[in-house]
Amino acid sequence: MGSEGPSPAVTIHVTGFKKFHGVAENPTETIVNNLQAYMNKRGLPKGLILGSCTILETAGHGALVPLYQTLQSAVIRDANDLNSRRVIWVHFGVNSAATRFAIENQAVNEATFRCPDEMGWKPQKLPIVPADGEISRIRETALPVEDITKTLAKMGYEVMTSDDAGRFVCNYVYYHSLRFAEQNGIKSVFVHVPLFLTIDEETQMRFAASLLEILASLY
């Protein structure tokens, strides 16, 4: 008894996006900005460390350097830590047409933007990472998306699994994150949320907190 020591914690880093074409107020910016205070008030579950909460530009190629700086900061920060391999990135993005939450299982190596991103880039059928080959290349999350979705559904949330993160900035960021996660022995998942008009802010904050608690319980 007691000789095993405490089980290592999992560190979860979170990102959201700023406004973009057609969405003047991005709910993920609000969720991510308020998440630390919300989790502190709710009480962080044992074994969960909420790392960084970052708001990304809604842009692809032009925002790649800050994206990688953000991803890299988690690895550097945790490099000397016994928990360094227990790192999860959770990326939140909005789907303004959605009526429920979607846990994204995969990203595709294709950038085909229906409108220019916030830096004016509008790629068509371009590989996100040319070194990965064809635009049909898929990367999947190492997290058990089906199990996570079922658990959230049992808690009363309107949630589904999805194999299509689109081809816009959300998919672009997710693809890079999944590639980075594989190279660094960590995990990544992308979650699409509806507008606050569809599912109110309080419910979305509760959903985000529940998701983090479920992810922490996987270890």
Side-chain angles (χ1 to χ4, degrees), residues 14-133:
V14 183
T15 72
F17 287 105
K18 295 180 183 177
K19 69 173 180 66
F20 66 98
H21 181 81
V23 180
E25 290 184 19
N26 194 324
T28 67
E29 184 170 7
T30 304
I31 292 166
V32 173
N33 277 336
N34 296 339
L35 194 55
Q36 185 80 61
Y38 189 86
M39 294 298 291
N40 289 344
K41 189 176 171 185
R42 183 183 172 105
L44 275 171
K46 192 175 176 210
L48 170 62
I49 299 165
L50 183 55
S52 56
C53 293
T54 308
I55 306 300
L56 303 172
E57 287 287 347
T58 311
H61 184 71
L64 204 51
V65 170
L67 172 63
Y68 269 88
Q69 287 170 340
T70 300
L71 294 172
Q72 194 67 43
S73 68
V75 179
I76 293 167
R77 182 182 294 122
D78 300 318
N80 301 317
D81 193 332
L82 292 172
N83 305 327
S84 62
R85 290 297 168 205
R86 296 172 183 267
V87 173
I88 300 173
W89 276 100
V90 179
H91 304 286
F92 287 100
V94 65
N95 177 357
S96 55
T99 56
R100 49 186 171 166
F101 301 104
I103 315 292
E104 300 292 348
N105 186 49
Q106 62 188 36
V108 186
N109 190 30
E110 178 188 343
T112 297
F113 290 4
R114 66 186 183 278
C115 61
D117 67 17
E118 290 301 288
M119 292 184 173
W121 191 47
K122 191 182 176 185
Q124 298 297 308
K125 295 198 181 305
L126 285 183
I128 293 171
V129 179
D132 274 5

